[in-house]
Amino acid sequence: NSFVTRTNTCGELRSVHVGQKVTLYGWVQYQRQGLFLVLRDFQGLTQIIIPQDEARSHVKELLSNAPVESVVRVTGIVSPRPLGQENPKMPTGDIEVKAETAEILNSCKKLPFEIKDFIKKSEALRMQYRYLDLRSFQLQSNLRLRSRMVMRMREYLCNLHGFVDVETPTLFKRTPGGAKEFLVPSREAGKFYSLPQSPQQFKQLLMVGGLDRYFQVARCYRDEGSRPDRQPEFTQIDIEMSFVDQAGIQRLIEGLLQHSWPEERALIMTPFPSMTYEEALAEYGTDKPDTRFGMKIMDISDVLRGSDIHFVRNALSYPHGSIKAICIPQGVRYLTNKDLESLKESAKSQFNQEIMEIICRPDGSLKSLLTKFLGEKEKSELIQALNLREDDVVLLAAGEHKQVCSTLGTLRLFSANLLEAAGLALRDPTTFHFLWVVDFPLFLPKAENPTELESAHHPFTAPHPSDASLLYSDPTKVRSQHYDLVLNGNEVGGGSIRIHNAEQQRFVLEKVLKEDSEVLSHLIEALEFGAPPHGGIALGLDRLISLIVDAPSIRDVIAFPKSFRGRDLMGNAPGYVTPEELEPYHIQVSWPLEEKEAKKN
């Protein structure tokens, strides 16, 4: 309560304050029949007794007629609640304040929605009136937890480990590869700035500059269009260190998260487990596995290799062909025939992959189109390999290794959703399973042109020391020094050891990625002036906080987020500007015909 005119907040009064005269400020949460109201501020609620005596009739009239969500000042005496009227659900439930004077500081007009967490509001309405939505307990709690975590991160990095907090420019130039960047026009004809998708180049240049340890709560920008649960502007905990290896970065981040972890959440244990990219793909079908539940992908190629089943023999005839399966525990009990059909349809529509189901009957026998082609020995081996139990359902796929794994990985998550919707608890949102995924490929084929390569992480990632020679002979086989941090099946961080040799960086850009290295000439030149070995990581703060508080969307942990389509519905941005405003930037807008007509009207 320092620096302000209140004596206490609405959440701090207790029985020890009985008899004290207090002044409270807050919003009217609700009012009942002119007898009492509940006053709310950022810290909690306090019950205010409205005076009924004639001497204070003006106070009664004022408080009885104050619209909900009006801002009021109340001065009064803290009193114990009458016996039997205590409210154990309220921290201030043992007391009430008997109002002596009051003032309406600002009356509230009719609200577009009630300020209560349990009242459902449309996403668009919440975005349009974000300043009202921010009054909800949940959003207040989320933002305050976020603030506390960031402060503890600063303490850990700067005070305990000597990191330097450096602000890097927002106006810069285009970076090759990666996500699309927002362009900002300049007053020089035809020249544009780009908003950085991360401070990647700057933090490497800070290492060349000898700062040794850099940290920033960095604002980043990506023009990714309409993507669910993504934001065009977002926040990273950005870190870079000199003379460090992958293990050093991992230990730093584990310590950082332990130090800043909210006390009210389940403890996290370190070191975090680790698995390679290939292991993650083979067992979970994704590079960001949710390890809170089982249902791992199992390879049953050897069990079925000797069978005469046509699709099995066909799949195994290819170099990377395999037969894999996932087992859905108690699937018969929890999944309907419609559910199973939706799983198979999903595999077909997303991956063009056929799925065969196998059901384990109560007597231990198998029900499937497949079983009539299998002998008793093969059936027994299949039951043993999949560890089948009564009422389990198996989803089996045959084909190229990566496609089969990706398909079954998606079905694993889809099945978990269906099981939980049917009442089987699989993934506890109050537990936190961190995982390092390492040894990613350095390059991947481009989706639009598989004969060309792109960086799996970004073009500044160093090759794995064991594979360095392959960079010049067979770059497709090179593993990288790239590492991702995964939490409950979500990527919350990614980083790498960087290329610190100018010639190697130039080779990757020009020969492997076919990019114009001139765009990065400043960085390549910097690497020629005694650049130290260095590496770093960026944690996605929005995603991390949303998982910690179990928010349905990252928009629930950002004060003023954009909508699904990247619009600010409150301020109606982006908006039109006049030709006169565009003139200094040498820009003319070419309007689509329908928009021309709309502007005329």
Side-chain angles (χ1 to χ4, degrees):
N1 298 304
S2 51
F3 314 117
V4 293
T5 52
R6 64 177 175 237
T7 61
N8 301 87
T9 67
C10 294
E12 69 176 289
L13 295 176
R14 302 291 187 271
S15 296
V16 295
H17 297 99
V18 167
Q20 293 183 15
K21 188 171 187 176
V22 296
T23 298
L24 306 179
Y25 290 78
W27 286 262
V28 176
Q29 176 89 347
Y30 64 85
Q31 184 265 121
R32 185 173 177 184
Q33 297 175 344
L35 299 174
F36 71 88
L37 60 81
V38 172
L39 200 63
R40 184 195 74 245
D41 67 6
F42 72 95
Q43 200 176 49
L45 307 169
T46 296
Q47 182 166 289
I48 308 294
I49 300 300
I50 299 173
Q52 303 298 311
D53 56 301
E54 189 62 35
R56 293 194 176 92
S57 59
H58 63 289
V59 176
K60 177 180 179 179
E61 183 180 358
L62 185 144
L63 293 179
S64 299
N65 295 321
V68 169
E69 290 303 310
S70 294
V71 183
V72 301
R73 175 190 57 77
V74 173
T75 297
I77 304 297
V78 182
S79 306
R81 290 201 187 189
L83 198 63
Q85 294 184 22
E86 300 91 346
N87 185 349
K89 294 181 180 178
M90 282 176 69
T92 61
D94 290 334
I95 60 93
E96 56 195 17
V97 173
K98 293 184 175 178
E100 293 184 343
T101 64
E103 180 185 359
I104 295 182
L105 301 173
N106 206 328
S107 184
C108 181
K109 70 176 186 178
K110 183 176 172 56
L111 293 162
F113 52 78
E114 288 188 69
I115 314 294
K116 292 176 183 173
D117 286 313
F118 59 84
I119 299 290
K120 289 192 183 281
K121 289 98 59 177
S122 74
E123 187 83 358
L125 201 61
R126 291 180 63 201
M127 295 296 104
Q128 184 180 352
Y129 295 96
R130 188 61 169 185
Y131 45 85
L132 294 179
D133 200 32
L134 284 169
R135 294 182 190 176
S136 71
F137 169 79
Q138 194 57 62
L139 276 185
Q140 290 260 332
S141 173
N142 293 350
L143 293 176
R144 291 179 192 283
L145 181 141
R146 176 180 176 133
S147 174
R148 290 194 302 273
M149 277 198 73
V150 170
M151 284 302 297
R152 287 175 184 162
M153 288 178 174
R154 287 186 189 278
E155 177 186 63
Y156 181 84
L157 293 169
C158 298
N159 296 356
L160 300 183
H161 293 287
F163 280 76
V164 184
D165 186 350
V166 180
E167 296 173 6
T168 54
T170 300
L171 295 175
F172 194 47
K173 64 190 294 188
R174 187 184 71 84
T175 303
K180 285 186 178 179
E181 295 170 329
F182 285 102
L183 297 177
V184 179
S186 76
R187 291 175 183 267
E188 294 184 58
K191 291 188 176 182
F192 293 79
Y193 296 104
S194 284
L195 299 183
Q197 50 188 295
S198 81
Q200 182 61 47
Q201 294 181 54
F202 291 112
K203 62 182 183 178
Q204 289 192 241
L205 292 167
L206 287 169
M207 296 305 101
V208 178
L211 258 76
D212 192 70
R213 297 183 171 200
Y214 144 91
F215 146 76
Q216 182 183 186
V217 181
R219 297 294 285 168
C220 305
Y221 308 87
R222 290 180 188 171
D223 188 7
E224 297 186 310
S226 302
R227 296 187 62 178
D229 217 21
R230 291 286 182 96
Q231 288 285 295
E233 51 182 331
F234 54 97
T235 306
Q236 289 181 348
I237 302 298
D238 203 47
I239 291 168
E240 197 80 4
M241 297 174 73
S242 295
F243 311 111
V244 71
D245 60 11
Q246 182 170 307
I249 295 285
Q250 290 173 339
R251 286 197 305 272
L252 171 78
I253 295 303
E254 289 166 0
L256 173 70
L257 288 169
Q258 266 199 325
H259 184 85
S260 60
W261 199 253
E263 295 167 2
E264 63 271 26
R265 295 299 188 272
L267 288 174
I268 54 173
M269 305 304 293
T270 59
F272 300 153
S274 177
M275 71 172 61
T276 67
Y277 168 82
E278 291 296 342
E279 289 169 340
L281 189 66
E283 293 183 8
Y284 296 95
T286 176
D287 59 5
K288 42 180 184 290
D290 189 341
T291 56
R292 287 175 295 173
F293 69 106
M295 291 172 56
K296 290 184 183 180
I297 299 169
M298 289 168 281
D299 194 321
I300 53 173
S301 302
D302 290 342
V303 176
L304 300 178
R305 197 175 297 278
S307 72
D308 290 325
I309 305 169
H310 175 70
F311 79 88
V312 169
R313 294 173 69 88
N314 186 51
L316 295 179
S317 67
Y318 292 100
H320 299 289
S322 63
I323 316 295
K324 295 180 184 290
I326 58 170
C327 177
I328 305 173
Q330 304 292 294
V332 172
R333 190 176 304 175
Y334 289 98
L335 301 183
T336 65
N337 287 333
K338 185 179 178 182
D339 290 334
L340 292 174
E341 286 304 315
S342 69
L343 286 166
K344 290 192 278 190
E345 178 55 38
S346 176
K348 184 69 177 172
S349 61
Q350 289 186 55
F351 299 96
N352 194 29
Q353 177 71 52
E354 296 290 345
I355 296 292
M356 184 167 286
E357 67 191 74
I358 304 172
I359 293 172
C360 186
R361 296 189 179 107
D363 62 1
S365 64
L366 302 180
K367 176 188 174 185
S368 173
L369 294 173
L370 189 69
T371 52
K372 64 182 179 181
F373 301 104
L374 299 177
E376 290 304 316
K377 180 174 178 291
E378 288 170 315
K379 289 178 187 176
S380 176
E381 288 178 351
L382 193 61
I383 290 171
Q384 192 173 355
L386 296 170
N387 193 25
L388 290 183
R389 299 284 185 268
E390 178 185 339
D391 287 341
D392 286 353
V393 173
V394 172
L395 301 180
L396 180 148
E400 192 273 328
H401 168 73
K402 282 191 176 179
Q403 177 174 316
V404 166
C405 289
S406 296
T407 304
L408 291 177
T410 299
L411 296 188
R412 174 178 178 266
L413 296 175
F414 193 176
S415 301
N417 292 339
L418 292 171
L419 290 173
E420 289 182 333
L424 181 64
L426 272 184
R427 298 167 292 190
D428 183 353
T430 65
T431 63
F432 300 95
H433 285 221
F434 281 98
L435 172 74
W436 289 108
V437 179
V438 300
D439 290 356
F440 283 79
L442 187 57
F443 306 108
L444 292 171
K446 285 184 178 179
E448 65 276 12
N449 186 358
T451 61
E452 295 182 3
L453 296 177
E454 63 184 0
S455 296
H457 185 47
H458 57 52
F460 315 114
T461 302
H464 194 287
S466 306
D467 298 348
S469 61
L470 288 172
L471 180 64
Y472 304 96
S473 59
D474 193 352
T476 58
K477 293 182 179 175
V478 179
R479 291 169 299 162
S480 69
Q481 294 189 69
H482 162 202
Y483 32 85
D484 276 354
L485 183 60
V486 176
L487 172 57
N488 295 355
N490 296 269
E491 182 191 334
V492 293
S496 66
I497 302 302
R498 323 300 187 188
I499 296 171
H500 67 279
N501 176 281
E503 285 309 310
Q504 189 178 74
Q505 183 66 80
R506 190 177 283 110
F507 178 85
V508 166
L509 288 166
E510 295 178 355
K511 304 301 183 186
V512 180
L513 301 177
K514 314 296 184 190
E515 294 276 4
D516 180 9
S517 65
E518 192 58 34
V519 179
L520 293 166
S521 59
H522 57 284
L523 178 63
I524 294 173
E525 185 179 19
L527 297 179
E528 295 175 327
F529 286 103
H534 57 283
I537 193 168
L539 299 179
L541 184 64
D542 308 313
R543 178 81 55 210
L544 177 64
I545 301 296
S546 72
L547 292 169
I548 291 172
V549 301
D550 193 28
S553 163
I554 61 170
R555 289 188 285 275
D556 291 318
V557 299
I558 300 171
F560 296 100
K562 301 293 186 291
S563 72
F564 168 69
R565 298 192 180 278
R567 293 188 60 83
D568 181 337
L569 300 181
M570 182 180 65
N572 199 26
Y576 293 112
V577 295
T578 65
E580 291 75 24
E581 290 172 297
L582 288 174
E583 190 175 346
Y585 303 106
H586 313 282
I587 292 174
Q588 287 184 319
V589 177
S590 177
W591 296 101
L593 184 60
E594 60 273 17
E595 290 195 32
K596 278 184 180 176
E597 294 302 317
K599 283 176 73 67
K600 284 179 186 176
N601 299 331

